[in-house]
Amino acid sequence: MRRWHQMAKEPFAPITRRGFLGALAIGGVGVGLGGFGGTIVDVVSYRNRGRKALHPIYGNSDTPEWLRDVTTGELKPNPQWILRHTTDQQCHSNCGLRVKIDRKTGRVQRIIGNPYHPNTLIDYTSMSVPFIRTAAHPGTVCARGNAGIESAYDPYRVLSPLKRKGPRGSGKWQPISWEQLIREVVDGGKIFADTGDPASESFEVTGFGGLYAKRNELMNPAAPELGHRTNGFVLQCGRTVGARKEFVVRFGQAFGSVNVDDHVNVCELSHHVATDQVFPGKHMTQPDVTDAKFIIYWGTQPGDANFPMQTHGKYAAHARAKPDGLKYVVVDPHLSRGGVIGDRASWVAIKPSTDGALALGMIRWIIENRRYDAAYLSHPTRKAAEAAGELSHTDATHLIIVDEKHPKYGRFLTSEAAGLGGFKGDSAADRVVIDPAGRPARAGAADTARMEYAGEVNGIRVKTAFARIRESAEMHSLDEYSSICGVSKERMIELAREFTSYGRQAVSTMYRGVVKHPNGYYNGVAVLLLNLLVGNMNWTGGLTAGGGSWSYKKGLYDNVDVPEAKGVAYGVMITRQGVRYEDTSEYQALVKAGKNPYPAKRPWWPFSFAMYTEVLPSGLQKYPYGIDILMWNMATPFYSVPGQGNPEIIKMMKDPRNVPLIIASDIVVGDTSMYADYIVPDGSFLERWNVDGTLPTVLTKGTYMRWPVVELTHKTPDG
Ligand code: SF4
């Protein structure tokens, strides 16, 4: 204080920069000691109060994983710890982990990133680099990945098989032995007699044994397509991934049930279907983030829920920080914390579920202003595109039958139907295009073709796919699109102009926010079509399907099928997926009886798969049949499926007459497993085996192993 007082009285004198910094430093130290001196005294004396801290400065924090030799400077592993690599499953990003385990107790102390894994570092470590040299360069994990320790050591972990003691959902449990569990669920009978639940004490349950004995009986003789009675066993899986998934499918096959399926439709099915329609054979695409110049994120944001989550956020931050690096726009009704950071990112607040309107408005403007890559779109086949130096091709030039009376209305015209001959059974090359001279030609015979055509070929009215898309986009004016989606016309045009200003290094990518609506599939298709207009697929900085992975299903052993059980499991799944209602015995019987077959009791889903949300309502309505035994694995439908945690459904599920036997496999008594009759203890991701692959944001081909890096964290008294 004295010093400031003196300075205030003295006249200002010229000050050099060095002198100024020196004064600041001295002032800083003075203020620091004055402000925190007491704290330091407290810290020193606290160390001697109560239980003594292990170290005067580091307190009780762990010793590091590595020790440095003070004379040579060399690193060596700290023998106190074991370091093991595995793969995370706190989310589906599959990041590689380096798990620090106490050698004495076997307990996990810390989780960091495995630097050899591409998710955890942009410049990840080559497998040829020795382990010891990675000491100073670990990879990253996100906060949720770190919290894997809490999952493994959750104080409420289920330690042994549990059986309800009281009605379903009463929250009362009794531990039972594995022998009792297996005996009761296999033999069935009055297995709830000891629960004290008046509603089920004398209830007769068909166990696995009783149901298996009916493996040759039809579920419904009037509808043989429904398969055998063993389809009454339903295994509803959540994130039951590689290796475990094949195991449960094999179990279903061997038992004779087709009803072993996972969770995709509650998560992102319309995303997969839309992607597959635009990029056949692909369920997911992502931007090549680090080299892209411009990305539009629809219904997702870098650093938020996406795959792989921390990796995508890291890549975007890296790309954004480069001089002349990535610019991106987030199109989402909701601006979250991880989304828009810095002046190279911006947010377009769109009305929920109207992404398709904005995308079609952009498509309209791009086509009207000829901002698309016409040269790329003019190649009708992959062969022609590759000969021109392209990496992919589209069907923009292919002719579609537009005569509504034609039996193949809406399908591509084939060279056979066009009377051109040369039909070779190749679905793309056998289509028809209009060559540059204006003549119909087999697609496989043309290097380039016209993108715009409407007329007749061999008496059949046709248009090019490109013309059909243009017409769809022209169904509304930009003002109309603007009023639908709530984004101004000016912003729409600005987005379209910018998107078409970076050549192949601009990407339109989407995730759940776009597709989780009744019109989600259409939103998704419109958003993805933008990529075709700039021809960015597989280019550096463009759209990518990622590096992929190696199949663990092929090799010496058949890990997928049970050859002896072939044909035992067949029939319509309880979710009615992959089947047309019009092909069922039920529909045909109604028509034959002169009755109106519509509507069906519940919808049929000819194009969908993994219809998780349909399992419980179908079982409760017994349509097309009921459930005898329900198993949940990593599944929480009451929590994760909108509407299924409502009191009405829970009340029905609590009644054993609706679903006689429910077994959950879970690591804790969860919000859905709490309604089971039995809970089987599951392992956390640090304790189980899985195989997984890289996700599309990562361009490296990779297959990962998840393995038990620690023993089951909880043990029963007998071990
Ligand atoms: S992003 Fe990676 S580290 Fe984070 S929870 Fe998901 S898998 Fe784990």
Side-chain angles (χ1 to χ4, degrees):
M1 290 299 293
R2 188 177 65 83
R3 187 164 171 270
W4 293 117
H5 176 72
Q6 280 181 348
M7 279 182 74
K9 279 189 170 174
E10 288 164 6
F12 286 105
I15 188 165
T16 62
R17 184 169 179 277
R18 182 175 293 277
F20 176 69
L21 292 175
L24 272 183
I26 293 165
V29 170
V31 171
L33 283 177
F36 298 102
T39 312
I40 291 173
V41 171
D42 282 349
V43 167
V44 172
S45 59
Y46 278 152
R47 186 181 174 239
N48 296 318
R49 291 183 207 167
R51 205 171 55 190
K52 198 171 175 182
L54 296 174
H55 190 278
I57 293 173
Y58 301 122
N60 291 333
S61 62
D62 289 340
T63 57
E65 296 87 50
W66 317 90
L67 299 174
R68 191 179 288 282
D69 187 308
V70 284
T71 47
T72 65
E74 277 185 16
L75 285 167
K76 61 175 186 182
N78 182 343
Q80 189 184 347
W81 308 109
I82 302 169
L83 299 182
R84 287 182 175 145
H85 289 156
T86 187
T87 310
D88 198 5
Q89 204 185 8
Q90 289 284 94
C91 81
H92 189 43
S93 296
N94 301 329
C95 296
L97 303 181
R98 177 169 284 178
V99 183
K100 176 179 179 177
I101 300 161
D102 188 315
R103 192 177 292 277
K104 272 199 204 125
T105 64
R107 192 181 165 90
V108 176
Q109 284 300 114
R110 186 184 185 211
I111 293 177
I112 52 178
N114 169 6
Y116 296 103
H117 193 289
N119 280 25
T120 75
L121 290 174
I122 290 173
D123 293 320
Y124 61 96
T125 309
S126 161
M127 293 299 282
S128 61
V129 173
F131 186 61
I132 197 78
R133 290 208 9 230
T134 65
H137 304 288
T140 59
V141 290
C142 73
R144 185 157 37 156
N146 270 290
I149 303 178
E150 271 71 44
S151 299
Y153 296 107
D154 191 311
Y156 296 101
R157 283 287 297 268
V158 174
L159 307 179
S160 68
L162 298 179
K163 181 178 182 183
R164 70 179 162 91
K165 196 153 182 57
R168 279 184 188 161
S170 61
K172 295 184 187 139
W173 300 93
Q174 52 179 325
I176 58 170
S177 67
W178 285 94
E179 290 74 19
Q180 182 183 345
L181 168 80
I182 292 167
R183 188 177 61 248
E184 292 185 0
V185 301
V186 170
D187 293 350
K190 291 185 178 159
I191 54 178
F192 302 135
D194 62 348
T195 59
D197 168 25
S200 61
E201 268 171 345
S202 50
F203 189 75
E204 193 83 35
V205 172
T206 303
F208 281 96
L211 196 56
Y212 187 65
K214 299 177 184 174
R215 63 188 177 281
N216 294 319
E217 286 178 28
L218 287 175
M219 183 67 80
N220 178 355
E225 72 273 14
L226 299 183
H228 289 142
R229 281 284 287 110
T230 34
N231 282 340
F233 165 62
V234 176
L235 177 45
Q236 187 177 24
C237 298
R239 183 73 72 192
T240 308
V241 292
R244 179 182 276 215
K245 188 172 179 175
E246 283 67 46
F247 179 80
V248 296
V249 169
R250 282 165 64 100
F251 180 79
Q253 277 184 5
F255 186 78
S257 176
V258 291
N259 288 309
V260 176
D261 209 0
D262 69 22
H263 70 284
V264 181
N265 95 309
V266 74
C267 175
E268 54 171 329
L269 183 60
S270 36
H271 165 269
H272 287 346
V273 178
T275 304
D276 188 52
Q277 288 298 304
V278 180
F279 305 107
K282 303 290 174 209
H283 282 175
M284 187 174 216
T285 56
Q286 288 282 0
D288 173 13
V289 183
T290 52
D291 281 303
K293 294 286 182 206
F294 186 70
I295 300 175
I296 308 178
Y297 288 96
W298 303 75
T300 181
Q301 320 193 3
D304 269 21
N306 205 330
F307 291 151
M309 194 258 290
Q310 62 138 344
T311 312
H312 204 122
K314 187 169 31 218
Y315 283 9
H318 170 82
R320 194 174 55 210
K322 287 197 277 192
D324 194 28
L326 172 68
K327 277 181 81 175
Y328 64 82
V329 176
V330 168
V331 179
D332 202 335
H334 158 250
L335 177 65
S336 80
R337 286 173 301 168
V340 179
I341 297 165
D343 55 6
R344 302 188 69 80
S346 59
W347 174 42
V348 172
I350 193 169
K351 289 184 196 167
S353 81
T354 64
D355 307 77
L358 177 56
L360 281 168
M362 291 171 64
I363 289 172
R364 176 174 182 148
W365 186 89
I366 289 168
I367 292 176
E368 282 176 354
N369 291 277
R370 305 184 75 79
R371 301 270 298 186
Y372 50 87
D373 189 335
Y376 163 71
L377 293 168
S378 70
H379 300 296
T381 60
R382 180 174 174 174
K383 193 169 150 217
E386 286 179 352
E390 293 289 351
L391 302 177
S392 65
H393 76 287
T394 73
D395 54 19
T397 57
H398 298 187
L399 296 179
I400 294 172
I401 298 170
V402 294
D403 180 352
E404 290 181 21
K405 295 200 181 96
H406 194 281
K408 296 274 173 73
Y409 168 66
R411 304 225 179 140
F412 287 106
L413 181 69
T414 63
S415 56
E416 196 175 34
L420 294 172
F423 192 75
K424 291 183 179 156
D426 177 328
S427 62
D430 285 334
R431 292 177 190 168
V432 180
V433 296
I434 301 296
D435 71 13
R439 293 169 309 220
R442 187 173 167 272
D447 293 333
T448 60
R450 291 189 178 179
M451 291 165 55
E452 283 284 2
Y453 179 79
E456 285 197 3
V457 171
N458 205 22
I460 305 169
R461 279 201 298 120
V462 291
K463 285 181 184 170
T464 59
F466 183 82
R468 297 276 286 167
I469 286 177
R470 177 182 50 70
E471 287 172 356
S472 294
E474 286 171 351
M475 285 170 75
H476 293 283
S477 68
L478 296 196
D479 286 317
E480 286 169 340
Y481 283 128
S482 170
S483 75
I484 293 169
C485 67
V487 178
S488 72
K489 183 173 148 187
E490 293 69 33
R491 187 72 174 109
M492 188 182 293
I493 293 172
E494 190 188 324
L495 263 181
R497 180 178 285 116
E498 181 136 39
F499 181 71
T500 50
S501 297
Y502 297 93
R504 320 285 181 134
Q505 287 176 287
V507 178
S508 170
T509 187
M510 56 126 179
Y511 214 25
R512 298 181 176 105
V514 171
V515 294
K516 294 299 288 178
H517 309 281
N519 63 339
Y521 162 80
Y522 299 99
N523 283 333
V525 168
V527 162
L528 291 177
L529 279 176
L530 283 162
N531 295 296
L532 272 55
L533 295 181
V534 295
N536 61 11
M537 285 80 73
N538 292 336
W539 286 93
T540 300
L543 195 77
T544 174
S549 57
W550 285 275
S551 173
Y552 59 90
K553 298 176 193 169
K554 294 181 190 151
L556 202 53
Y557 301 104
D558 184 348
N559 291 328
V560 179
D561 292 312
V562 183
E564 300 80 11
K566 272 216 161 38
V568 178
Y570 84 94
V572 174
M573 293 180 76
I574 193 166
T575 52
R576 303 166 308 285
Q577 63 197 50
V579 179
R580 277 172 16 109
Y581 172 51
E582 291 74 12
D583 294 336
T584 63
S585 302
E586 175 193 345
Y587 173 90
Q588 282 154 14
L590 287 168
V591 171
K592 201 169 169 192
K595 294 183 181 161
N596 180 0
Y598 298 108
K601 196 169 175 184
R602 291 193 68 79
W604 291 69
W605 310 94
F607 303 115
S608 299
F609 60 94
M611 294 295 292
Y612 183 90
T613 58
E614 273 296 313
V615 171
L616 300 187
S618 304
L620 290 172
Q621 284 195 283
K622 302 194 190 313
Y623 184 71
Y625 46 80
I627 299 175
D628 294 280
I629 303 172
L630 174 65
M631 267 190 89
W632 285 313
N633 177 239
M634 302 181 79
T636 58
F638 294 158
Y639 174 71
S640 59
V641 180
Q644 284 190 11
N646 77 40
E648 200 184 339
I649 289 194
I650 288 183
K651 187 173 167 214
M652 292 173 81
M653 288 296 295
K654 283 165 78 172
D655 186 342
R657 286 171 301 180
N658 292 325
V659 181
L661 177 57
I662 306 178
I663 304 162
S665 156
D666 207 335
I667 66 168
V668 291
V669 181
D671 16 33
T672 296
S673 54
M674 66 180 281
Y675 294 100
D677 299 310
Y678 298 88
I679 302 182
V680 183
D682 198 358
S684 78
F685 73 92
L686 291 171
E687 300 154 323
R688 63 170 171 253
W689 293 93
N690 284 127
V691 185
D692 262 313
T694 52
L695 292 152
T697 306
V698 174
L699 303 183
T700 308
K701 185 170 182 176
T703 297
Y704 319 137
M705 181 66 79
R706 182 175 298 122
W707 67 290
V709 291
V710 286
E711 285 191 38
L712 279 173
T713 51
H714 291 97
K715 289 191 190 243
T716 51
D718 62 0

